[in-house]
Amino acid sequence: MGSPIESYLVQHALVVLCAEMQQEIYKIVLHRAAQANDKQIANFVYNAAQRVLRSVGKSELAGFMGCFGQDEKEKFNQFMEDAAVTKYNNAVNNRHDVAHSSGVQVTFPELKEAVAAASGILQAMEDSLKKAGDAGPSG
């Protein structure tokens, strides 16, 4: 703890966290689009999501959810706790600094909190997009 190795590993993990968030969001969108039982519509929605979602910051995710409708955006925002959003946004902002500047000093405990917050954000997104009676994707 507190070593250059910790710093390096946490910085790498921040980059991976953001990349994984994007991939998981695409899976959630694809699952929801597949419920239309129209492969072409599902493909369109999935491809459009990849073009629209450029960042995984909380405000960008809320805007992305607004593409599905104002109700979905509001549900998504209501599912989020301010403390978790702050921890998550700090991780996303630090990831940006890692990729575009000289790096950051984030600890493993801070990373762990950001990962937990990211999991909650994904769950909020999934819950906001559920149709009535939908159990959601397994896994």
Side-chain angles (χ1 to χ4, degrees):
M1 293 296 192
S3 71
I5 293 171
E6 177 190 20
S7 178
Y8 173 77
L9 292 173
V10 170
Q11 288 180 61
H12 175 74
L14 289 171
V15 173
V16 171
L17 172 64
C18 291
E20 286 297 314
M21 282 295 290
Q22 269 190 305
Q23 294 309 308
E24 289 300 314
I25 291 165
Y26 297 151
K27 286 180 187 177
I28 291 168
V29 168
L30 183 59
H31 173 76
R32 180 61 180 87
Q35 293 176 12
N37 291 325
D38 184 327
K39 188 175 180 177
Q40 290 172 317
I41 293 295
N43 285 336
F44 175 81
V45 170
Y46 179 76
N47 288 313
Q50 289 182 317
R51 292 178 187 211
V52 171
L53 183 64
R54 304 312 306 162
S55 173
V56 293
K58 166 52 174 71
S59 63
E60 290 85 0
L61 294 179
F64 179 74
M65 292 299 292
C67 293
F68 291 93
Q70 189 62 31
D71 288 345
E72 288 72 16
K73 179 180 178 178
E74 289 173 9
K75 280 192 261 182
F76 175 70
N77 284 326
Q78 289 171 358
F79 284 132
M80 306 307 317
E81 295 179 13
D82 289 343
V85 169
T86 298
K87 291 172 186 174
Y88 175 76
N89 277 338
N90 286 341
V92 172
N93 291 335
N94 281 318
R95 176 260 168 230
H96 180 80
D97 290 344
V98 167
H100 301 288
S101 128
S102 61
V104 296
Q105 293 299 316
V106 178
T107 65
F108 273 121
E110 291 168 329
L111 174 64
K112 186 176 177 181
E113 291 175 344
V115 169
S119 179
I121 285 173
L122 291 172
Q123 188 63 54
M125 182 172 281
E126 190 175 326
D127 290 346
S128 298
L129 292 178
K130 280 185 183 175
K131 286 174 45 175
D134 179 27
S138 60

PDB file of all heavy atoms in Angstrom, residues 53 55-66 73 76-77 80 85 88-89 92-93 121 125:
ATOM      1  N   LEU A  53     -22.955   6.851 -26.750  1.00  0.00           N
ATOM      2  CA  LEU A  53     -22.287   6.807 -25.451  1.00  0.00           C
ATOM      3  C   LEU A  53     -20.789   6.968 -25.633  1.00  0.00           C
ATOM      4  O   LEU A  53     -20.108   6.055 -26.057  1.00  0.00           O
ATOM      5  CB  LEU A  53     -22.601   5.486 -24.734  1.00  0.00           C
ATOM      6  CG  LEU A  53     -22.017   5.340 -23.336  1.00  0.00           C
ATOM      7  CD1 LEU A  53     -22.618   6.379 -22.396  1.00  0.00           C
ATOM      8  CD2 LEU A  53     -22.258   3.941 -22.811  1.00  0.00           C
ATOM      9  N   SER A  55     -18.792   8.656 -23.113  1.00  0.00           N
ATOM     10  CA  SER A  55     -18.159   8.744 -21.810  1.00  0.00           C
ATOM     11  C   SER A  55     -19.062   8.043 -20.805  1.00  0.00           C
ATOM     12  O   SER A  55     -20.275   7.957 -21.009  1.00  0.00           O
ATOM     13  CB  SER A  55     -17.978  10.206 -21.404  1.00  0.00           C
ATOM     14  OG  SER A  55     -17.502  10.288 -20.078  1.00  0.00           O
ATOM     15  N   VAL A  56     -18.472   7.547 -19.738  1.00  0.00           N
ATOM     16  CA  VAL A  56     -19.271   6.829 -18.754  1.00  0.00           C
ATOM     17  C   VAL A  56     -19.422   7.605 -17.448  1.00  0.00           C
ATOM     18  O   VAL A  56     -19.758   7.041 -16.416  1.00  0.00           O
ATOM     19  CB  VAL A  56     -18.706   5.411 -18.485  1.00  0.00           C
ATOM     20  CG1 VAL A  56     -18.848   4.538 -19.706  1.00  0.00           C
ATOM     21  CG2 VAL A  56     -17.266   5.471 -18.000  1.00  0.00           C
ATOM     22  N   GLY A  57     -19.203   8.919 -17.499  1.00  0.00           N
ATOM     23  CA  GLY A  57     -19.476   9.754 -16.332  1.00  0.00           C
ATOM     24  C   GLY A  57     -20.961   9.734 -16.024  1.00  0.00           C
ATOM     25  O   GLY A  57     -21.795   9.513 -16.903  1.00  0.00           O
ATOM     26  N   LYS A  58     -21.325   9.956 -14.783  1.00  0.00           N
ATOM     27  CA  LYS A  58     -22.728   9.873 -14.363  1.00  0.00           C
ATOM     28  C   LYS A  58     -23.619  10.808 -15.155  1.00  0.00           C
ATOM     29  O   LYS A  58     -24.694  10.413 -15.594  1.00  0.00           O
ATOM     30  CB  LYS A  58     -22.816  10.154 -12.859  1.00  0.00           C
ATOM     31  CG  LYS A  58     -24.188  10.448 -12.282  1.00  0.00           C
ATOM     32  CD  LYS A  58     -25.255   9.453 -12.612  1.00  0.00           C
ATOM     33  CE  LYS A  58     -26.562   9.718 -11.901  1.00  0.00           C
ATOM     34  NZ  LYS A  58     -27.320  10.859 -12.346  1.00  0.00           N
ATOM     35  N   SER A  59     -23.212  12.046 -15.379  1.00  0.00           N
ATOM     36  CA  SER A  59     -24.085  12.979 -16.110  1.00  0.00           C
ATOM     37  C   SER A  59     -24.261  12.527 -17.560  1.00  0.00           C
ATOM     38  O   SER A  59     -25.358  12.646 -18.116  1.00  0.00           O
ATOM     39  CB  SER A  59     -23.546  14.405 -16.042  1.00  0.00           C
ATOM     40  OG  SER A  59     -22.283  14.486 -16.665  1.00  0.00           O
ATOM     41  N   GLU A  60     -23.209  11.971 -18.161  1.00  0.00           N
ATOM     42  CA  GLU A  60     -23.326  11.457 -19.525  1.00  0.00           C
ATOM     43  C   GLU A  60     -24.254  10.243 -19.567  1.00  0.00           C
ATOM     44  O   GLU A  60     -25.037  10.072 -20.503  1.00  0.00           O
ATOM     45  CB  GLU A  60     -21.953  11.087 -20.094  1.00  0.00           C
ATOM     46  CG  GLU A  60     -21.072  12.285 -20.387  1.00  0.00           C
ATOM     47  CD  GLU A  60     -20.303  12.772 -19.166  1.00  0.00           C
ATOM     48  OE1 GLU A  60     -20.433  12.181 -18.050  1.00  0.00           O
ATOM     49  OE2 GLU A  60     -19.562  13.749 -19.306  1.00  0.00           O
ATOM     50  N   LEU A  61     -24.170   9.411 -18.535  1.00  0.00           N
ATOM     51  CA  LEU A  61     -25.056   8.246 -18.482  1.00  0.00           C
ATOM     52  C   LEU A  61     -26.509   8.672 -18.305  1.00  0.00           C
ATOM     53  O   LEU A  61     -27.407   8.082 -18.907  1.00  0.00           O
ATOM     54  CB  LEU A  61     -24.637   7.305 -17.353  1.00  0.00           C
ATOM     55  CG  LEU A  61     -23.282   6.629 -17.527  1.00  0.00           C
ATOM     56  CD1 LEU A  61     -22.972   5.745 -16.317  1.00  0.00           C
ATOM     57  CD2 LEU A  61     -23.209   5.839 -18.817  1.00  0.00           C
ATOM     58  N   ALA A  62     -26.745   9.699 -17.513  1.00  0.00           N
ATOM     59  CA  ALA A  62     -28.111  10.203 -17.346  1.00  0.00           C
ATOM     60  C   ALA A  62     -28.628  10.746 -18.681  1.00  0.00           C
ATOM     61  O   ALA A  62     -29.780  10.487 -19.058  1.00  0.00           O
ATOM     62  CB  ALA A  62     -28.160  11.283 -16.270  1.00  0.00           C
ATOM     63  N   GLY A  63     -27.785  11.466 -19.413  1.00  0.00           N
ATOM     64  CA  GLY A  63     -28.184  11.948 -20.733  1.00  0.00           C
ATOM     65  C   GLY A  63     -28.460  10.801 -21.694  1.00  0.00           C
ATOM     66  O   GLY A  63     -29.410  10.833 -22.471  1.00  0.00           O
ATOM     67  N   PHE A  64     -27.641   9.775 -21.624  1.00  0.00           N
ATOM     68  CA  PHE A  64     -27.837   8.578 -22.453  1.00  0.00           C
ATOM     69  C   PHE A  64     -29.177   7.928 -22.114  1.00  0.00           C
ATOM     70  O   PHE A  64     -29.929   7.529 -23.009  1.00  0.00           O
ATOM     71  CB  PHE A  64     -26.676   7.608 -22.212  1.00  0.00           C
ATOM     72  CG  PHE A  64     -26.764   6.331 -22.972  1.00  0.00           C
ATOM     73  CD1 PHE A  64     -26.518   6.301 -24.335  1.00  0.00           C
ATOM     74  CD2 PHE A  64     -27.058   5.146 -22.320  1.00  0.00           C
ATOM     75  CE1 PHE A  64     -26.581   5.107 -25.037  1.00  0.00           C
ATOM     76  CE2 PHE A  64     -27.126   3.954 -23.014  1.00  0.00           C
ATOM     77  CZ  PHE A  64     -26.887   3.927 -24.382  1.00  0.00           C
ATOM     78  N   MET A  65     -29.481   7.831 -20.831  1.00  0.00           N
ATOM     79  CA  MET A  65     -30.765   7.253 -20.423  1.00  0.00           C
ATOM     80  C   MET A  65     -31.927   8.097 -20.935  1.00  0.00           C
ATOM     81  O   MET A  65     -32.993   7.571 -21.244  1.00  0.00           O
ATOM     82  CB  MET A  65     -30.827   7.118 -18.902  1.00  0.00           C
ATOM     83  CG  MET A  65     -29.875   6.086 -18.344  1.00  0.00           C
ATOM     84  SD  MET A  65     -30.184   4.429 -18.954  1.00  0.00           S
ATOM     85  CE  MET A  65     -31.757   4.105 -18.175  1.00  0.00           C
ATOM     86  N   GLY A  66     -31.717   9.396 -21.054  1.00  0.00           N
ATOM     87  CA  GLY A  66     -32.745  10.267 -21.596  1.00  0.00           C
ATOM     88  C   GLY A  66     -33.101   9.932 -23.033  1.00  0.00           C
ATOM     89  O   GLY A  66     -34.204  10.251 -23.490  1.00  0.00           O
ATOM     90  N   LYS A  73     -34.830   8.243 -17.605  1.00  0.00           N
ATOM     91  CA  LYS A  73     -33.767   9.094 -17.068  1.00  0.00           C
ATOM     92  C   LYS A  73     -34.045   9.436 -15.604  1.00  0.00           C
ATOM     93  O   LYS A  73     -33.141   9.364 -14.759  1.00  0.00           O
ATOM     94  CB  LYS A  73     -33.641  10.368 -17.901  1.00  0.00           C
ATOM     95  CG  LYS A  73     -32.583  11.322 -17.395  1.00  0.00           C
ATOM     96  CD  LYS A  73     -32.490  12.562 -18.261  1.00  0.00           C
ATOM     97  CE  LYS A  73     -31.464  13.541 -17.737  1.00  0.00           C
ATOM     98  NZ  LYS A  73     -31.354  14.718 -18.610  1.00  0.00           N
ATOM     99  N   PHE A  76     -33.506   6.403 -13.397  1.00  0.00           N
ATOM    100  CA  PHE A  76     -32.073   6.180 -13.245  1.00  0.00           C
ATOM    101  C   PHE A  76     -31.487   7.126 -12.205  1.00  0.00           C
ATOM    102  O   PHE A  76     -30.771   6.702 -11.294  1.00  0.00           O
ATOM    103  CB  PHE A  76     -31.382   6.367 -14.600  1.00  0.00           C
ATOM    104  CG  PHE A  76     -29.887   6.277 -14.543  1.00  0.00           C
ATOM    105  CD1 PHE A  76     -29.262   5.065 -14.302  1.00  0.00           C
ATOM    106  CD2 PHE A  76     -29.103   7.402 -14.742  1.00  0.00           C
ATOM    107  CE1 PHE A  76     -27.874   4.981 -14.248  1.00  0.00           C
ATOM    108  CE2 PHE A  76     -27.720   7.328 -14.707  1.00  0.00           C
ATOM    109  CZ  PHE A  76     -27.104   6.111 -14.453  1.00  0.00           C
ATOM    110  N   ASN A  77     -31.813   8.396 -12.298  1.00  0.00           N
ATOM    111  CA  ASN A  77     -31.292   9.380 -11.354  1.00  0.00           C
ATOM    112  C   ASN A  77     -31.785   9.126  -9.929  1.00  0.00           C
ATOM    113  O   ASN A  77     -31.050   9.325  -8.966  1.00  0.00           O
ATOM    114  CB  ASN A  77     -31.637  10.793 -11.793  1.00  0.00           C
ATOM    115  CG  ASN A  77     -30.763  11.271 -12.932  1.00  0.00           C
ATOM    116  OD1 ASN A  77     -29.602  10.919 -13.025  1.00  0.00           O
ATOM    117  ND2 ASN A  77     -31.335  12.072 -13.823  1.00  0.00           N
ATOM    118  N   MET A  80     -29.872   6.456  -7.822  1.00  0.00           N
ATOM    119  CA  MET A  80     -28.482   6.749  -7.478  1.00  0.00           C
ATOM    120  C   MET A  80     -28.372   7.475  -6.136  1.00  0.00           C
ATOM    121  O   MET A  80     -29.134   8.384  -5.856  1.00  0.00           O
ATOM    122  CB  MET A  80     -27.838   7.633  -8.555  1.00  0.00           C
ATOM    123  CG  MET A  80     -27.940   7.107  -9.970  1.00  0.00           C
ATOM    124  SD  MET A  80     -27.360   5.435 -10.207  1.00  0.00           S
ATOM    125  CE  MET A  80     -25.876   5.398  -9.274  1.00  0.00           C
ATOM    126  N   VAL A  85     -22.321   8.218  -6.347  1.00  0.00           N
ATOM    127  CA  VAL A  85     -22.073   8.958  -7.587  1.00  0.00           C
ATOM    128  C   VAL A  85     -20.760   9.730  -7.486  1.00  0.00           C
ATOM    129  O   VAL A  85     -19.965   9.745  -8.432  1.00  0.00           O
ATOM    130  CB  VAL A  85     -23.254   9.906  -7.914  1.00  0.00           C
ATOM    131  CG1 VAL A  85     -22.897  10.873  -9.028  1.00  0.00           C
ATOM    132  CG2 VAL A  85     -24.489   9.104  -8.286  1.00  0.00           C
ATOM    133  N   TYR A  88     -17.885   7.282  -7.803  1.00  0.00           N
ATOM    134  CA  TYR A  88     -17.810   6.810  -9.189  1.00  0.00           C
ATOM    135  C   TYR A  88     -17.248   7.898 -10.106  1.00  0.00           C
ATOM    136  O   TYR A  88     -16.339   7.647 -10.898  1.00  0.00           O
ATOM    137  CB  TYR A  88     -19.197   6.363  -9.663  1.00  0.00           C
ATOM    138  CG  TYR A  88     -19.213   5.988 -11.113  1.00  0.00           C
ATOM    139  CD1 TYR A  88     -18.692   4.778 -11.543  1.00  0.00           C
ATOM    140  CD2 TYR A  88     -19.743   6.861 -12.061  1.00  0.00           C
ATOM    141  CE1 TYR A  88     -18.693   4.441 -12.886  1.00  0.00           C
ATOM    142  CE2 TYR A  88     -19.745   6.529 -13.397  1.00  0.00           C
ATOM    143  CZ  TYR A  88     -19.224   5.314 -13.808  1.00  0.00           C
ATOM    144  OH  TYR A  88     -19.219   4.993 -15.137  1.00  0.00           O
ATOM    145  N   ASN A  89     -17.786   9.102 -10.001  1.00  0.00           N
ATOM    146  CA  ASN A  89     -17.309  10.199 -10.859  1.00  0.00           C
ATOM    147  C   ASN A  89     -15.840  10.517 -10.609  1.00  0.00           C
ATOM    148  O   ASN A  89     -15.113  10.855 -11.547  1.00  0.00           O
ATOM    149  CB  ASN A  89     -18.169  11.453 -10.678  1.00  0.00           C
ATOM    150  CG  ASN A  89     -19.424  11.409 -11.515  1.00  0.00           C
ATOM    151  OD1 ASN A  89     -19.506  10.694 -12.508  1.00  0.00           O
ATOM    152  ND2 ASN A  89     -20.417  12.166 -11.111  1.00  0.00           N
ATOM    153  N   VAL A  92     -13.953   8.011 -12.641  1.00  0.00           N
ATOM    154  CA  VAL A  92     -14.018   8.326 -14.074  1.00  0.00           C
ATOM    155  C   VAL A  92     -13.123   9.522 -14.392  1.00  0.00           C
ATOM    156  O   VAL A  92     -12.375   9.505 -15.373  1.00  0.00           O
ATOM    157  CB  VAL A  92     -15.477   8.577 -14.529  1.00  0.00           C
ATOM    158  CG1 VAL A  92     -15.533   9.102 -15.957  1.00  0.00           C
ATOM    159  CG2 VAL A  92     -16.300   7.294 -14.394  1.00  0.00           C
ATOM    160  N   ASN A  93     -13.178  10.541 -13.554  1.00  0.00           N
ATOM    161  CA  ASN A  93     -12.327  11.719 -13.771  1.00  0.00           C
ATOM    162  C   ASN A  93     -10.852  11.364 -13.637  1.00  0.00           C
ATOM    163  O   ASN A  93     -10.020  11.858 -14.409  1.00  0.00           O
ATOM    164  CB  ASN A  93     -12.701  12.842 -12.807  1.00  0.00           C
ATOM    165  CG  ASN A  93     -14.064  13.429 -13.109  1.00  0.00           C
ATOM    166  OD1 ASN A  93     -14.546  13.362 -14.239  1.00  0.00           O
ATOM    167  ND2 ASN A  93     -14.706  13.971 -12.095  1.00  0.00           N
ATOM    168  N   ILE A 121     -24.495   1.625 -10.342  1.00  0.00           N
ATOM    169  CA  ILE A 121     -24.919   2.404 -11.512  1.00  0.00           C
ATOM    170  C   ILE A 121     -25.435   1.486 -12.608  1.00  0.00           C
ATOM    171  O   ILE A 121     -26.468   1.752 -13.225  1.00  0.00           O
ATOM    172  CB  ILE A 121     -23.770   3.309 -11.997  1.00  0.00           C
ATOM    173  CG1 ILE A 121     -23.622   4.491 -11.035  1.00  0.00           C
ATOM    174  CG2 ILE A 121     -23.994   3.789 -13.432  1.00  0.00           C
ATOM    175  CD1 ILE A 121     -22.433   5.370 -11.288  1.00  0.00           C
ATOM    176  N   MET A 125     -29.226   1.397 -14.090  1.00  0.00           N
ATOM    177  CA  MET A 125     -29.518   1.500 -15.509  1.00  0.00           C
ATOM    178  C   MET A 125     -30.404   0.341 -15.955  1.00  0.00           C
ATOM    179  O   MET A 125     -31.411   0.532 -16.649  1.00  0.00           O
ATOM    180  CB  MET A 125     -28.224   1.518 -16.318  1.00  0.00           C
ATOM    181  CG  MET A 125     -28.430   1.668 -17.809  1.00  0.00           C
ATOM    182  SD  MET A 125     -26.874   1.908 -18.660  1.00  0.00           S
ATOM    183  CE  MET A 125     -26.619   3.646 -18.325  1.00  0.00           C
TER     184      MET A 125
END
